[in-house]
Amino acid sequence: SMDKGIFAMLHGKALNSTLLLLLIPIIFASAHSRSYPCFSRNDTEFQHLVLHPDPSVGTVYVGARDHLFQLDGLDGLRLEQEERTGPVSDSKDCLPPVTELNCPQARKTSNHNKLLLVDPKALELITCGSVHQGTCQKRNLSSIKNILFSTERPVDTQYVAANDPSVSTVGLVVGPRGGERTVMYVGRGYTASHPPISTRHLSSEPIFSYEETAKLAVAGRLSEYDHHFVTAFTRRTYVYFLFYRRDIKSASREYRTYAARVCLDDTSYYSYVLWVYTFLLSEMDLHQCSTDTGAGREGKDLLGVFSTHISSTNSNPLDASALCVYPLDELDRHIDSTRDLCYTQDGRVEGKGEVAYIEYEVKSSCANLPPNTLKAYPCGSDHTPSPMASRAPLEAKAVWHTSAARLTAVAVSVRDKHSIAFLGDSKGTLHKVYLGQDGMVEVYANTTIHPNSPINSDLLLDQTGAHIYVMTRNTVEKRPVAECGDHLDCQSCLSARDPYCGWCVLEGRCGQQWECQRGSLQGQWLWSFNQTQKCLSIQHLSLYNISRGEKTDIAVSVEGLPRLGEGEFYSCFFQDTETPASTTNNGVTCSTPDASSLPPISHGDEFVMVTLSLRLTNVTVAETEFTFYNCSLVQQLSGRRPCQGCVSSRWGCNWCIHQHVCTHKHTCSQGITIYNQNFKPPTPTIPPPTRKLTPLPPTVWAAPTTTTTTTTTTQPPPTEKPSLTTAAAPSTPTTATPPTTPNAETTAPLALHTTSRSVRTQATTIHADVITIGESLSDVERTTEENGATTRGFSEDEDTDTLNITDETLHTTFRSSTSGQVDSDLRFLELSGEVVGSSSDECPCVEKVQDSPLLPVNVERKITLVGQHLNLFQDENLDYECVLAIENQSVVVQASVESDPKKPSVFFITCQPYQYAYSVLMEEYPATINVRRKNNFLIDSAEDLYVTLFNCSVGRSDCSRCRTAHPKYGCVWCGGAASSRCVYQDSCTDEIKHTCPAPVIHFLDPVSGPVEGGTVVTISGSNLGQRAEDIQNSVTVAGVPCSVIHSRYEVSSRIVCETTSSGREKSGHASVRVRGGGLGLSAQTFSFQDPVLSSIFPQRGPKAGGSSLTIRGRRLRTGHPSEVSVLIGGVPCMEDQISCLTKGSNRTGEHGITVRFGGAERHLQGLVYHYTPNPNITTAAPSKSFLSGGRIIRVSGQNLDVVQEPKMRVTLSPPDTLPPRRRRSINRRKEAGSLNRGHDHQGPLKRWRRIVPDTDCPEGALCHVKQYESRCTVNSSSLILCPTPAVGAEARRARVKVHFLLDSLHFDFSTVGNEAFSYESNPKLYPLNQNDPSKPYHHKPGSIISVEGENLDLAIYKHEVEARIGEGVCSVKTLTHNHLYCEPPAQQPSVTASKKQDGMDSLPEFTVKMGNLNFSLGRVQYDSQAQSTFPLEAQVGVGVGASIVALIVLIIVLIYRRKSKQAMRDYKKVQIQLENLETSVRDRCKKEFTDLMTEMMDMSSDLVGSGIPFLDYRAYAERIFFPGHQESPLRRDLDVPESRRQTVEQGLVQLSNLLNSKLFLTKFIHTLEVQRTFSPRDRAYVASLLTVALHGKLEYFTDILKTLLNDLVEQYVAKNPKLMLRRTESVVEKLLTNWMSICLFTFLRESAGESFYMLFRAIKHQVDKGPVDAVTGKAKYTLNDNRLLREDVEYRTLTLNVVMPAAAASGGTTTQTVPAKVLDCDTITQVKEKLLEQTWKGTSFSQRPHIDSLHLEWRAGVAGHLILSDEDLTSVVQGLWKRLNTLQHYKVPDGATVALVPRNAKHHLHDSHDYMPGEKTPMLDDGEEGGVRLWHLVKASEESELPKHRRGSLRERGGERAKAIPEIYLTRLLSMKVTEIM
């Protein structure tokens, strides 16, 4: 397996984080509810990310492919600047600068960002790309466009980054320590021969170079050591590099992970130590690691992410990754151990063999140096072995692993006692991992940044650690490390389990500990990640509910309540009402507020639940629910049983019988109190309770257990049942047998026999030592759980009222049912003071009606009711009355009460006889019945207590219905033939009829049907039988039997039957005979008909259906209309009388027509219906309309002529966003609907529940959907014209949808139109006469009428506008936004017929129609036109004018003839000039050709006297070996004192002997080459010195050269062979140059030298023969077409006599003159060059004097000596141009005497010109700083660089003659070539 990793550093106590980079490049396959700051670009790929060192600046820098981005991190990652870095023309094989000349294979190459670093000291951004061999730039951190440093011609040591996008490069900027310079450590993968690790200059020249610094020397092949770097970081005094590469020492050569360490002060990498990491992985199991490593120890740890690699030994397909932790201190100890072993023990350990060794195939080995070497040279020296490596790996254990995705990035943040690791993976997920000090590792959050987009390895935390920057392929996001503020309450904060977050108790918010002001205090900050932390809550209340308005103190228990400082206090809030709170040991005590400050109780509720919160200022520390109830509302909501509802309520309300009041008080002011069944009544003070009671917690109940106690004993007796004597009547005193217990006392006349319950709540069992009356607690439990309310508990000290038991005072004894007992014994005794009550079973109530509840109307009946516990009223007279509610009226009837002798608690209430009646037409009327004490309150009644009144005559209008009434009613048909009716049997005073009269038929439906029968006929009437069997076979229709359908028969009123076939058309009455009764006939007749179909229209329609058809024929109204159906080819048709609408068909073509009349069918003979293809709409335009509508929309398509009713529908719907007020009201309704019973419904609740329409729709806005339609017109089969419907103004702000309705087909405008349909504001047109619209507009015939307006062209074209003047049309010519221009008729049109014809109204009206809009813009009056007669004066004027015109035409003809003759003369003149020009050109060409043919000479004659000036071999060798040196180093004497000369000479002899050793010499050269300070210049010097030293032994020298060349070839074959011998990277290149120079000397001197020299002299002679411009470099004769002088320059050849000293000429003492040829147009410098060339031609160029060291002196006579120069005071200046001086300027004659005299200046160029860079060629200069420009023969601006195809054009200059054709001068170029050949 191959382990790959990403590393980060963990600092023990400090909050710090470092960058984690990917160890191996992973090839990814590319496939947000909260908004975070984000920057994204899809046209590039993000590669590196760095931050500004100052967090207050917050700038973010992103390095991408071909781009650099500068983002504002404090402003949402806003793009500040962008710099484009590519693509550029480049090739990996070319060295910068890359040009087309030196790199023809260059192509456009993307520039990948390889390094992006920040120099915090210099505030510079370092960027390195993959192009131009990985060169770098420095940029300003404030502006990345500002490049501070960039080298255009870098040397090889300045190539920093890898030039391959797939090869890794890492860097690290190390600032100055103790005044040292800033450097950059770089690690780069294998490309060419560059060192894998190097140190680069940042603050000193040369920038980015590793010259004079350090680099890692690799003796072996660099390709074998292909490092894949992950990161570099510094710690203490060391720099660490992390990388992986193949282990070339192992047989498998698998990839392994390495760490290398170098001392910061080590400038030679002597301290380089390599250590291997092993992350032992099995092939299938990822998380098997060797040792455990803690993540929270002191110091620093290294956090690494490793991934498996699919190789030959590992085929695991999963993306397995793991997180490991390496202690850096342990790593340092291992590295120090390796160094110590290699220094002092030869790298060996006893029993383990070689542990440390020398890496990179360096020919060295571990040594056995003295032990003090370790202290003296901890970072190594030149005598210590290096580079070192260890064979013992450092192993670590995986703390977390995953197989879901490959991990690609990691960052770490160190907190107090734990760390947080952020891991990014290849699927775009960010994992947050908690690393505890105890070894605990937990992934507490996974966040998807961008699905399936790998997270870049540059995962950065900002300097504060509050945000993390996550970068994917093309997106950068800034996310907070924790979003604690999202958790608005403590529970969600703690349940988030985010180690960053915690709950600030007294600030009431979720945040980090440093954000909490008291976070360091105990209990003030609850850590979210700690499972033992709990939110502060109210554990217990002394009371959970009280009556509204009751004043008391409530003890609130809060565990862990923080202590407050001095002057701080807690407050209690009931909802929003504040009450004071006093602090206790375990919480606080709150006072209840006044009822006026509490929220009101909602309608329909008896309580309001408020939030009881404990607050500090505005921060809620803890809260719970608290309830305020109102017993009066309990009574109101209990309906007919107020007593039972009161004592069974969960609030502990008690019932006062005599006051008829439900109260929260424990006793009533008078009469008996019935206590709530869920709570104990007040306990007597004597004897005291045996145990203290604990308040009942909220609604926690258990199954009841039964115990028996007595209130007269001090100890609870055993659970035995005492006997009880019951009284016969309430007035009789009751005695009881005392219990047979030893402790029982018999002084009390009455023993209270009770059943108490023990209630189990949580861990507390409560025994009620008092009388408890009520239903079983299981029911209570159910009730309380359903209501979800809290229950108030009583404590012992609450009961202030006591019961004193004496002999004189009698107490009431109640027995309540227990565990299913229903019957109860009640003992009642009058009590002068207070009475102890019981549960709801003891409430006085009326339970049921004893006999049948049915009561006939208008018959006296008495009602007997059964009641319970009426004796509690203690009434002596028992005066009661019955109250019945009948039709909103109370019927009061006196009642008598009697008790049941068997059951004293049961009473019978008898309502006196009374005749009851009601008027509504109902068979039964339920009437509620209640009993009340006379002139007092109603007694509790059962909810279902009512009596049923019935009336036999309602719904039973005939005899049959009466006789079929239910027997329980006792209804009979009573009376004679005249007035018979259905009444109660006891009410019938006439004869009771036992038989019913004959049936009567009122109505038949339908009255016709087909002769085939099958028509369902409904016969309505009365006395149609009492059951279907009575008329089974006795129904006929028109004499034809009709089969009765039993299921549809209704007693006496309806018969439904189906006709049978009649055989023919016939009609007749329907008859019904009832069994045992008479016969009934109908007044209507029924007809059997035979319908006939004759025609159909139309006969075709679309197959989609929707067409309206009309079918004609005879007797089509047969049967019931609902049973008539039309089928077209089997497809049903929706009918409408004789018309129908077709339905859709799945095929086209002809189909038959079928009409069904019930079960009969008729076919249309001879005619078919044709289904055509569906109409289709392809386009619709235009897409705009005015609000008023009427614009014609042209709808195009196919088959449109089959549409019958085309329509256009416009639907307006509200926009997506409702108005704020509207949305609030909707939200309120939602909130109101979600409120459950029991919540606070006060305040706005009434407004939420209102039923009135919502009126808060803003004016002009659309709050509901509206539709508008318009009918369209079918124009043809391909065109429909649809006028747009008019809409309201709200359409401008609404969403508009347009549909075309083609019968049953609908087409959306958005699918057929070019754009969405929209409505525009209506246009406005102003009257023609705006000043006074009442006056007519005066129009001049022939002019255009202009109408002004607004919005005219928003939704209409000019051809759609109709403008009229009366009955005439004004043709619209132009329509703009504000103007309409139309052309009116030539004559004033007549007025329309609808207008009046007299007065002003006789003028035509100007009207404009735009769709549905009609504008009347005023009347138009045409101005009066000219008279039709032609006056005589006008005729004369026309005649004169015609004569003048004729004269003018004649003059023009004459002038034209004259001009024509003049043009012919000019043409001939020009023709002559062209002939002359042709002749001139011909003569010029002849002359140039003559020069070409005749100017030949023999250059060899020049060599006769002087010969070729060859250098001797020594001078030649010195110039080749040591270029640029005035004097060879070899000519210098041995400058040593005489006393040491012998020693030095002996040492030199020994050095010579060593140089003669091949092994020494090759090793010596290789050793020099690996030194980082061995510069290219030094390599050349060494090579030349070796060449001189071995010059006498060329064979040995050649052997050395072959050996070194062989090593060089091997080295370049492994990397890039094309770059070999291109640069001086080793000594051998210069040795080869020197060796070839030695070998070529004889060949040059004897063979090639003469030809080269003659060629040079020939070219030189030819060029000098014509003028040469000294400024532009152009010449009359030249080899270069671009440098050809095309102007004709007048010149002549001068022969000057040059005065030569005798020594220079012949060796004599006298002077002599030598002739020399020059041109009079030559500048003085050109003259000096020619004179030197001709007079010193026998001397080599290097030995001649330089022209700048000589003056040209003109000697005219004995005393006339004049120094000539190019520029002096006599120079000609014209404007900004200054001409160089020539011989012609000085008027030097032919044959003049001149001399070259030395200059007297102290400083001039030396005579030796061996080391002069560049060639001396004139440069084109646009001008000097002063603005003066120099020229010689031509001015630079006049000789413009035109393209070649334009150089033949004639150009004119001011005041100069036209030039000849320049191409004629090409003969000069040819002559130059010919000369070259000769």
Side-chain angles (χ1 to χ4, degrees), residues 742-754:
N743 297 329
E745 298 182 4
T746 59
T747 55
L750 176 66
L752 301 180
H753 178 202
T754 67

Side-chain angles (χ1 to χ4, degrees), residues 681-755:
T683 56
T685 56
I686 301 174
T690 56
R691 58 179 61 88
K692 185 176 182 180
L693 300 179
T694 304
L696 296 177
T699 65
V700 182
W701 299 89
T705 59
T706 303
T707 60
T708 302
T709 61
T710 60
T711 58
T712 56
T713 58
T714 56
Q715 296 294 332
T719 58
E720 43 185 293
K721 182 175 182 180
S723 60
L724 181 65
T725 302
T726 58
S731 61
T732 306
T734 302
T735 60
T737 305
T740 57
T741 57
N743 297 329
E745 298 182 4
T746 59
T747 55
L750 176 66
L752 301 180
H753 178 202
T754 67
T755 302

Side-chain angles (χ1 to χ4, degrees), residues 1041-1099:
C1042 193
S1043 302
V1044 178
I1045 301 174
H1046 287 226
S1047 61
R1048 300 176 65 181
Y1049 171 77
E1050 290 184 2
V1051 175
S1052 179
S1053 62
R1054 189 179 72 173
I1055 299 173
V1056 179
C1057 64
E1058 184 178 352
T1059 64
T1060 58
S1061 175
S1062 66
R1064 61 183 176 83
E1065 291 188 343
K1066 60 186 299 186
S1067 61
H1069 299 279
S1071 66
V1072 176
R1073 181 180 295 278
V1074 180
R1075 183 188 303 171
L1079 174 67
L1081 294 176
S1082 65
Q1084 295 173 290
T1085 60
F1086 184 88
S1087 301
F1088 285 95
Q1089 301 178 162
D1090 185 11
V1092 177
L1093 309 180
S1094 61
S1095 65
I1096 182 174
F1097 179 80
Q1099 296 183 7

Side-chain angles (χ1 to χ4, degrees), residues 1855-1876:
E1856 297 185 4
R1857 62 177 179 84
K1859 296 293 182 181
I1861 299 174
E1863 276 65 17
I1864 63 177
Y1865 300 108
L1866 293 179
T1867 54
R1868 304 172 183 172
L1869 188 64
L1870 294 176
S1871 68
M1872 193 69 243
K1873 302 289 184 181
V1874 172
T1875 307
E1876 178 184 343

Side-chain angles (χ1 to χ4, degrees), residues 191-207:
T191 53
S193 60
H194 299 285
I197 298 176
S198 58
T199 306
R200 310 279 179 155
H201 296 287
L202 286 183
S203 56
S204 59
E205 295 290 343
I207 305 295

Side-chain angles (χ1 to χ4, degrees), residues 162-205:
N163 60 357
D164 190 332
S166 61
V167 177
S168 63
T169 304
V170 299
L172 177 69
V173 175
V174 178
R177 296 173 57 254
E180 299 177 9
R181 57 190 178 183
T182 305
V183 295
M184 178 174 66
Y185 287 85
V186 177
R188 57 178 284 174
Y190 167 70
T191 53
S193 60
H194 299 285
I197 298 176
S198 58
T199 306
R200 310 279 179 155
H201 296 287
L202 286 183
S203 56
S204 59
E205 295 290 343

